Amino acid sequence: MISVSNLRILILDDEQLVRDELSEFLIDPNFQIFKASTPSEAFEIMNRNEVHIAIVDVNLPEMSGLDVLERIKKEHSDIEVIMISGYSEMDSVIHSMRLGASDFFTKPFRLRDVEHSIERTKKFVNLNKSLQEVKRNYSIISKEFYEAMGYEIVGESRHMKNLINLIGKVAKTENTSVLITGESGTGKELVARAIHYLSSRKENCFYAVNCSAIPETLFESEFFGHTKGAFTGASDTKTGWFEAANKGTLFLDEIGDMQLNLQTKFLRVLEDRKIRKVGSNIEIPFDTRIIAATNQNLEELSTEKGFRLDLYHRISSFVIHLEPLRNRKEDIPLLLDYFVKYFNRIMAKNINEVDEVVVRKLLAYEFPGNVRELKNMVERAVIICDTNKLGLSHFQLNEIKENYSDHYHYPSEEILDLELVEKNCILKALERSNYNKSKAADLLNITWQSLDRRIKKYKIEK
């Protein structure tokens, strides 16, 4: 995060008086000032140094300030630009804002106003740096995970970026127990595998167990193992899951379905970090990371005596919640594209296009089966498709048709995500105005420039 103590500002103006006046006013141990009289000199400075804010005159030699602004946004997109001009032409103001300028001042301007603008712009610089860091982490983790497992965690929503960030943080810890919550089909095991393969335990075993499928009579034998002759049918010594996953990760899926009396045995083993095979008196220590997953609310379940509260606290040192797909619909087109390419490779198909109507219908569907349901839909569609374009006929869309409306919408439940609400309002205003930005801005009671900035921010396209 950039602080006041290391803000780097470039002043680009062909008038030496303006350059000197601004630099003298901004002289402060908190700022580092660069000065340039021509665009070529300015770009040399930007190429050699990290610049956070550029103050650019509209009228310059070599090229116009608006062209400089456009080039900065292409080559140095993280630099915020404040435009200044000796003329108060509204066209220049509008054009500069469309190109991404954060502010515009007409000469002669008050130096105090420029200072205030820098303070406001600094907030955007800080936010942009944070977003860039998240994107870098997202890219690095996605690449490492793909190299380890051959597939990716896909999504550009704020939830998915935060999820990637959490995975990266907890993967760095060796022993922290993780509880992954979320509806069926949201990808809980995928997240568990990502944590394992990005951790220092990745060279050792990842062992997945479905707790709902373990009968009480086999619990100890499966988890702890047994010796030869320990009971009827025990013809050989068996290695239990804890021992098999030693130095690695034991993933316990649907842990909320584990019976209460088995939870007690399980808790004792987690506390002692030792197991004893059935039929043996020798205690075997283990070093296994526990990652558990559930589609139930274990805290509520514990108040109803369906799950031990002490076990919940033991396995939930770090909780990761996966949102259902209906709450992050902006990820649907990305997932659709990813699965089409994925099954294209596997089935040696050449599908390179999806009908826009299919995308709209998928966006309107609630996906009770979440990502798994979408993946299965695409797999079936790719199998059926004999052309290079997926259409409605390739999907089983009976349920989708019942839920479909002509407008992109979000679930009916209350949404408290401010950016999601804002984006939804903008989409509705654009639809009502037939994508006339001026009319849409009037509906939203904001300026045209403000609407245009938000459209770019949310990457909204007609």
Side-chain angles (χ1 to χ4, degrees), residues 347 349 351 378-386:
M347 301 177 193
K349 294 285 187 94
I351 299 169
V378 176
E379 183 177 10
R380 181 185 183 278
V382 171
I383 291 172
I384 293 173
C385 183
D386 293 321

Side-chain angles (χ1 to χ4, degrees), residues 32 69 106 170 262 272 325 334 338:
Q32 182 177 351
L69 167 61
T106 303
V170 78
L262 303 183
D272 296 342
L325 189 54
L334 292 169
Y338 176 78

